[in-house]
Amino acid sequence: MATVELTFSALPAHVRTARLVATAIARRTGVAEALLDEVRLAVGEACSRAVEAHRVHCPGEPIRIELRDDSGRFEVTVTDSAPNDDLQSPGTANGLVSVEASADSMFGIVPEMPGLGIAVIAGLADDVEVSPGPTGVRIRMSWPAATPNGVPAH
Amino acid sequence: MDLKLDHRTEDRLTIVEVEGEIDVYTAPRLRELLIDLVNKGNFHLLVNMEKVDFLDSTGLGVLVGGLKRVRAHDGSLELVCTQERILKIFRITGLTKVFGIYASVDEAKEAHGRDK
């Protein structure tokens, strides 16, 4: 069950807000201090990518972010609503592609280096799932958090 | 925190002081500054990132874009950065091999002087 869900308009200024919210909830959930920078950066990358995709395809649609505390892990899911024809490629039949496979085909948030944001996320979170679909992309990532009794999960 | 930008020229080296967060919201300002500096003939840039609190791939892209522009004029774009959390993103993306990264402005100036 999601502990927090929020939606925001596809504006670059809101990405910082999403980062701050995610970091605050990660801290409260018991994610180790040493990992909070990684959470902040990875969530920012996912939201930046979504904002850029929406600005191209559907600027009026909001971006959704879910922050969950499940089974000793802090899980963040960023979902956009931007159609992506490029994602109908071999290897996506089950709706999932590996991060490596998807990185080059994603909308890049950096004109000079498309796909860099996804590559950064893959380098930061030890558990990442990129799920492209015809109606948008979902990026789910998680980090170890404290269990309900406060003992860090492994 | 917002992004603060300043720059000065010492000898042939233009030092760009960056403070705050470089992300999808603020990076366009850094991009504009780098483009403006190159357009005005500043082809040797040193970006001091010691006061940068946050850097994401948008910021990396701006730095790479700046590097491409100065290299087109046989110039250079190097960085000053000692913060581990900032260096980490350069390592993840392999960009430590692309940028010269120094521990201080003085160290970078010294290296730049040797290369002249």
Side-chain angles (χ1 to χ4, degrees):
Chain A
M1 183 177 179
T3 53
V4 173
E5 289 185 19
L6 65 100
T7 58
F8 61 93
S9 304
L11 297 174
H14 292 334
V15 172
R16 181 171 187 265
T17 305
R19 286 200 308 263
L20 293 173
V21 170
T23 308
I25 294 172
R27 180 177 280 117
R28 189 182 56 76
T29 303
V31 173
E33 284 290 324
L35 294 176
L36 291 179
D37 273 339
E38 298 184 6
V39 172
R40 182 165 72 136
L41 182 51
V43 171
E45 294 288 357
C47 290
S48 297
R49 196 210 63 81
V51 165
E52 290 300 307
H54 274 227
R55 290 173 80 189
V56 171
H57 292 281
C58 50
E61 293 292 319
I63 292 154
R64 197 175 84 189
I65 177 168
E66 299 169 43
L67 305 120
R68 299 171 190 268
D69 176 12
D70 277 344
S71 306
R73 293 192 69 85
F74 173 64
E75 184 178 291
V76 181
T77 305
V78 178
T79 308
D80 69 58
S81 307
N84 188 348
D85 297 337
D86 294 343
L87 297 170
Q88 302 307 309
S89 56
T92 63
N94 62 356
L96 298 174
V97 293
S98 69
V99 169
E100 290 77 10
S102 65
D104 289 339
S105 62
M106 292 291 176
F107 295 113
I109 62 171
V110 183
E112 293 88 348
M113 305 181 74
L116 189 61
I118 296 287
V120 170
I121 293 170
L124 291 171
D126 57 7
D127 171 38
V128 184
E129 182 181 279
V130 181
S131 307
T135 58
V137 175
R138 188 186 73 205
I139 299 176
R140 187 194 59 74
M141 46 207 159
S142 75
W143 292 265
T147 56
N149 63 6
V151 178
H154 297 286
Chain B
M1 187 180 186
D2 204 357
L3 183 68
K4 290 182 185 173
L5 299 171
D6 199 2
H7 66 90
R8 65 184 186 278
T9 300
E10 296 182 9
D11 202 359
R12 287 176 58 237
L13 190 63
T14 300
I15 301 167
V16 179
E17 299 284 351
V18 187
E19 182 177 352
E21 300 187 341
I22 310 174
D23 69 358
V24 68
Y25 179 55
T26 61
R29 286 178 49 213
L30 178 58
R31 177 185 286 119
E32 286 168 16
L33 174 60
L34 296 180
I35 291 172
D36 188 48
L37 288 172
V38 173
N39 287 344
K40 289 177 177 170
N42 301 282
F43 302 138
H44 292 281
L45 307 179
L46 177 65
V47 181
N48 185 358
M49 306 185 67
E50 284 298 82
K51 294 182 179 174
V52 171
D53 300 316
F54 181 84
L55 173 74
D56 70 5
S57 63
T58 322
L60 288 179
V62 168
L63 293 172
V64 170
L67 181 63
K68 286 166 66 176
R69 285 185 177 87
V70 294
R71 278 189 176 169
H73 299 277
D74 293 325
S76 62
L77 190 156
E78 295 173 319
L79 310 172
V80 173
C81 182
T82 58
Q83 297 185 74
E84 185 54 36
R85 64 180 174 181
I86 303 294
L87 289 170
K88 184 172 185 174
I89 187 169
F90 284 96
R91 278 196 214 101
I92 288 172
T93 53
L95 290 174
T96 47
K97 297 169 187 166
V98 174
F99 291 102
I101 301 178
Y102 297 94
S104 69
V105 170
D106 285 343
E107 185 183 298
K109 283 164 65 177
E110 190 178 328
H112 187 72
R114 282 197 303 269
D115 293 341
K116 277 199 296 187

